[in-house]
Amino acid sequence: QVQLVESGGGLVQAGGSLRLSCAASGRTGSSVAMGWFRQAPGKEREFVAGISRSGVTTGYGDSVKGRFTISRDNATNTVYLQMNSLKPENTAVYYCAAARETYYSDSRSSFNLWGQGTQVTVSS
């Protein structure tokens, strides 16, 4: 069964950095576009970053542009999210997701496989 497993979350002070990893079992991790979403308590799950299968196309939510970077290593079926200059409002559970297709998307409906999430907490 195909699975996505996130890691790298934790507690960090404002201004600090974290790198999240998403390991995909099977061929999923290298055969489709991938994305990161997050959900804070009481809020809707929102798009953070996405990357096409090839890695050529990437995109970001407006609130993280210039601070977060998504990348992938198709040889190891792993997707990364480098998060710099973290702010308390970035506190959320971060989810890795695999899309149905190979092209980049920022729409939640394009993704049909989700990880269990990893908690990121940014203290002020």
Side-chain angles (χ1 to χ4, degrees):
Q1 185 174 357
V2 177
Q3 287 186 318
L4 301 177
V5 180
E6 302 99 333
S7 61
L11 174 63
V12 63
Q13 289 188 332
S17 298
L18 282 174
R19 188 175 82 153
L20 305 184
S21 299
C22 172
S25 63
R27 294 193 304 118
T28 294
S30 61
S31 62
V32 294
M34 300 290 290
W36 287 95
F37 290 75
R38 67 186 178 190
Q39 188 166 18
K43 294 189 176 181
E44 294 287 322
R45 190 170 297 190
E46 66 172 350
F47 173 77
V48 175
I51 188 167
S52 62
R53 183 189 68 174
S54 67
V56 170
T57 304
T58 59
Y60 300 90
D62 288 342
S63 65
V64 306
K65 285 179 181 177
R67 298 187 298 119
F68 289 14
T69 303
I70 189 171
S71 61
R72 66 188 300 161
D73 182 346
N74 286 341
T76 61
N77 292 343
T78 306
V79 179
Y80 302 97
L81 184 68
Q82 178 66 43
M83 306 186 294
N84 298 328
S85 302
L86 283 162
K87 305 175 181 180
E89 53 263 42
N90 299 143
T91 294
V93 177
Y94 284 70
Y95 296 92
C96 175
R100 294 181 180 86
E101 305 292 344
T102 62
Y103 48 83
Y104 161 84
S105 174
D106 60 4
S107 173
R108 184 176 171 180
S109 63
S110 297
F111 296 83
N112 63 343
L113 181 63
W114 297 82
Q116 82 288 351
T118 185
Q119 177 70 46
V120 171
T121 303
V122 185
S123 63
S124 58

